[in-house]
Amino acid sequence: MKRAWLTMNSSDKWGALHGLVPLLFLCVVIPYWSHVKNGWGNLGLRMQTLWERMFDTIGDDQFNLYVYGLNGWTFVLYWSIGLAFLLAETCARPKWLLRYKVQPKFFVMLPFSIVSHYILEYQGTLPPIRELPTFQRFLVVFFILISTQEVVGYYTHRLFHHRLIYKWTHKLHHQWTAPIALSAYYNRPLDHLIVNLMPATIGLPLTNAHFFTSWLWLTWATLRTLSDHSGYHVLSFPSPRRRDFHHLKFTECYGVWGPLDYLHGTETLFRASKSSSKTN
């Protein structure tokens, strides 16, 4: 392992460590913010005021917000951004977006959300929806969500590539050998539930995430998966080349961030292709 690390170039090392960036960020940011009340400071006071005004307008029924609000927001976000990428692909507009091109099912989510909500409500652990979480708790929960997404996402994704079930589940998604943004959720229901939804959402009940944290996380996760499948390196996310390579070869780059691919040796061809493209 040490020898392999020493022989890697700087870009490959960054790819292997990319999933550790949130941890390093937390180690630096949390001590800095620990002396500020609730971690947000004056910004937090303004956010809290706006947060309460929003609920004064739309109401604070937790069932409606967690089930219909989060799912409705994710639905609109997915289709609006996905269609924008599709329009750019078909019309070759806007021209500036083409410089970032690197390429040569919600009905399942609704009952899943209802069950998760009632489990937390039955346990009486839902955080007060009108009171924002502290900045420290927000960061810690966000890091746990990133970690669980990588771990659960890698192993469920690799499981659905097993020859005994691939044909009946995940093969439909891989009809797109050069995916577009809207193909991110082109799956069979069971595949969508376990490979797409579970990695992104299982950390929410495990951490008892606040509605504010859940909203930002689902927004971030949805934009990330759209970016990964879009073929465009935009939105300040890692390059979609990993996902493109996975759809091209099928047996590499199962993870979201990459550390588990590195540990299990499922990104060797991808690293080799990057090295060869640089030498050429």
Side-chain angles (χ1 to χ4, degrees), residues 8-17 267 271 274-275 278:
M8 293 170 63
N9 58 41
S10 58
S11 62
D12 288 336
K13 289 179 179 179
W14 169 249
L17 289 173
E267 62 171 20
R271 292 205 308 268
K274 288 175 60 179
S275 299
K278 289 177 181 178

Side-chain angles (χ1 to χ4, degrees), residues 71-89:
N71 283 290
W73 168 254
T74 306
F75 181 88
V76 171
L77 188 68
Y78 175 81
W79 282 100
S80 59
I81 301 298
L83 288 173
F85 275 118
L86 181 62
L87 184 65
E89 186 74 16

Side-chain angles (χ1 to χ4, degrees), residues 13 28 37 46 73-74 89 102 107 129 160 176 193 239 253 268:
K13 289 179 179 179
V28 173
K37 183 179 180 180
R46 291 193 292 270
W73 168 254
T74 306
E89 186 74 16
V102 298
F107 70 93
I129 202 165
F160 272 62
W176 294 86
L193 175 64
S239 172
C253 302
T268 53

Side-chain angles (χ1 to χ4, degrees), residues 34-86:
S34 61
H35 69 283
V36 182
K37 183 179 180 180
N38 291 328
W40 295 101
N42 292 331
L43 174 63
L45 296 177
R46 291 193 292 270
M47 289 173 59
Q48 181 66 51
T49 301
L50 293 174
W51 189 248
E52 292 180 0
R53 287 179 182 174
M54 181 184 72
F55 288 121
D56 289 338
T57 303
I58 67 175
D60 56 4
D61 184 279
Q62 297 201 30
F63 179 86
N64 289 335
L65 289 168
Y66 275 97
V67 176
Y68 300 120
L70 289 179
N71 283 290
W73 168 254
T74 306
F75 181 88
V76 171
L77 188 68
Y78 175 81
W79 282 100
S80 59
I81 301 298
L83 288 173
F85 275 118
L86 181 62

Side-chain angles (χ1 to χ4, degrees), residues 30 35 40 48 78 100 103 147 156 177 207-208 217 267 272:
I30 288 182
H35 69 283
W40 295 101
Q48 181 66 51
Y78 175 81
Y100 298 94
Q103 282 177 347
S147 302
T156 57
T177 54
T207 58
N208 196 24
W217 165 254
E267 62 171 20

Side-chain angles (χ1 to χ4, degrees), residues 103-162:
Q103 282 177 347
K105 300 183 174 15
F106 287 93
F107 70 93
V108 177
M109 183 64 178
L110 200 59
F112 184 72
S113 300
I114 293 174
V115 172
S116 300
H117 173 79
Y118 274 121
I119 290 175
L120 292 176
E121 188 175 49
Y122 176 77
Q123 294 176 341
T125 56
L126 281 174
I129 202 165
R130 283 181 171 266
E131 182 180 345
L132 288 172
T134 64
F135 187 72
Q136 292 92 333
R137 177 168 176 77
F138 170 79
L139 286 179
V140 170
V141 170
F142 220 82
F143 170 71
I144 294 174
L145 293 174
I146 291 174
S147 302
T148 54
Q149 183 190 41
E150 173 67 15
V151 173
V152 179
Y154 178 88
Y155 291 112
T156 57
H157 192 183
R158 192 168 181 179
L159 172 66
F160 272 62
H161 273 267
H162 193 280

Side-chain angles (χ1 to χ4, degrees), residues 20-31 33 135 138-139 143:
L20 299 179
V21 172
L23 176 60
L24 299 176
F25 178 74
L26 288 176
C27 292
V28 173
V29 171
I30 288 182
W33 282 93
F135 187 72
F138 170 79
L139 286 179
F143 170 71

